[in-house]
Amino acid sequence: NAGVTQTPKFQVLKTGQSMTLQCAQDMNHNSMYWYRQDPGMGLRLIYYSASEGTTDKGEVPNGYNVSRLNKREFSLRLESAAPSQTSVYFCASSEARKAGSKQYFGPGTRLTVT
Amino acid sequence: DAKTTQPNSMESNEEEPVHLPCNHSTISGTDYIHWYRQLPSQGPEYVIHGLTSNVNNRMASLAIAEDRKSSTLILHRATLRDAAVYYCILRDETGTASKLTFGTGTRLQVTL
């Protein structure tokens, strides 16, 4: 049971390049999330998917797109990377919305945009 | 979302109990109180949650004030592995997904 996995672990991009961050979970969870964490800050929600086939914007969605490929996988795409998107990106998943359900986080992807 | 207020940092000696406070004076009736922690270079991990009553699990205890405007995470015997940033989060259970809104948390330092 791997939990939440993310690829790649590290990535360096030049300004204007595009890339997709991959996330997969093996816990049969309905909901999945993408967060970013800047140095010294808490996590901020970029996008989430309450269930397969649905996606919604979070607090900081500008510059990103997401795809809920199936129940297991939720990808985050940067179409034209900017230095302001240098951050650590975390994917998370949780059971269907019920009171108190836990979120499980992946190990993160460290992205640097030069 | 209702906001929480936590001290920026706290220190503890190993093997001593640690009480991490959190104020949430604007909490609503549908908000659960969640605690997560983030070890260095890792993603956050769930610690404990509660609504009104005090809660215990193998990691920690959560003491919730009667008026629910504050809570305290209690680590009964801190170890070096408990050094982390601890986040107190109010989670609105009425939306379509159980989103978490992280603040800056409390950085706990544990010393020998």
Side-chain angles (χ1 to χ4, degrees):
Chain A
N1 199 347
V4 179
T5 57
Q6 293 183 235
T7 56
K9 287 188 167 47
F10 301 92
Q11 184 71 48
V12 179
L13 291 179
K14 294 187 188 313
T15 298
Q17 288 184 317
S18 62
M19 79 161 295
T20 299
L21 281 65
Q22 306 286 355
C23 173
Q25 52 91 9
D26 62 1
M27 295 172 283
N28 201 35
H29 286 166
N30 283 311
S31 300
M32 297 185 73
Y33 312 80
W34 276 106
Y35 295 87
R36 61 176 286 175
Q37 185 174 33
D38 299 330
M41 306 290 289
L43 281 71
R44 291 184 292 170
L45 184 64
I46 305 171
Y47 269 94
Y48 65 98
S49 170
S51 61
E52 189 178 353
T54 69
T55 60
D56 285 287
K57 294 178 181 179
E59 183 186 350
V60 288
N62 290 346
Y64 305 95
N65 285 303
V66 289
S67 294
R68 184 73 184 267
L69 304 169
N70 47 55
K71 191 171 185 179
R72 287 188 66 245
E73 298 171 289
F74 189 37
S75 62
L76 178 72
R77 182 158 179 84
L78 287 71
E79 290 291 351
S80 179
S84 60
Q85 294 178 305
T86 293
S87 192
V88 181
Y89 291 84
F90 292 100
C91 178
S93 69
S94 68
E95 298 166 303
R97 186 183 67 78
K98 66 177 185 180
S101 64
K102 310 170 191 176
Q103 281 192 22
Y104 296 81
F105 286 81
T109 294
R110 294 181 181 276
L111 175 65
T112 302
V113 183
T114 61
Chain B
D1 290 335
K3 296 279 188 266
T4 63
T5 304
Q6 300 177 252
N8 288 334
S9 62
M10 292 185 65
E11 285 187 26
S12 173
N13 295 321
E14 200 176 22
E15 305 292 317
E16 296 291 321
V18 181
H19 290 233
L20 298 166
C22 181
N23 287 319
H24 29 79
S25 57
T26 60
I27 190 170
S28 72
T30 55
D31 287 337
Y32 276 68
I33 301 161
H34 285 250
W35 284 81
Y36 281 74
R37 72 179 185 179
Q38 188 174 21
L39 300 167
S41 300
Q42 295 189 27
E45 64 175 349
Y46 167 85
V47 177
I48 199 166
H49 75 276
L51 182 62
T52 56
S53 306
N54 294 346
V55 184
N56 299 298
N57 66 22
R58 63 175 181 82
M59 287 182 72
S61 296
L62 177 59
I64 302 172
E66 204 166 322
D67 63 5
R68 300 209 327 127
K69 293 184 186 301
S70 66
S71 61
T72 302
L73 179 71
I74 302 164
L75 307 179
H76 296 287
R77 291 178 66 199
T79 69
L80 295 177
R81 288 178 296 177
D82 291 321
V85 178
Y86 287 78
Y87 297 98
C88 170
I89 301 166
L90 301 183
R91 204 172 81 181
D92 180 7
E93 302 292 345
T94 60
T96 56
S98 299
K99 298 173 284 184
L100 299 175
T101 300
F102 287 80
T104 53
T106 296
R107 182 173 299 277
L108 175 66
Q109 187 174 348
V110 181
T111 54
L112 292 170

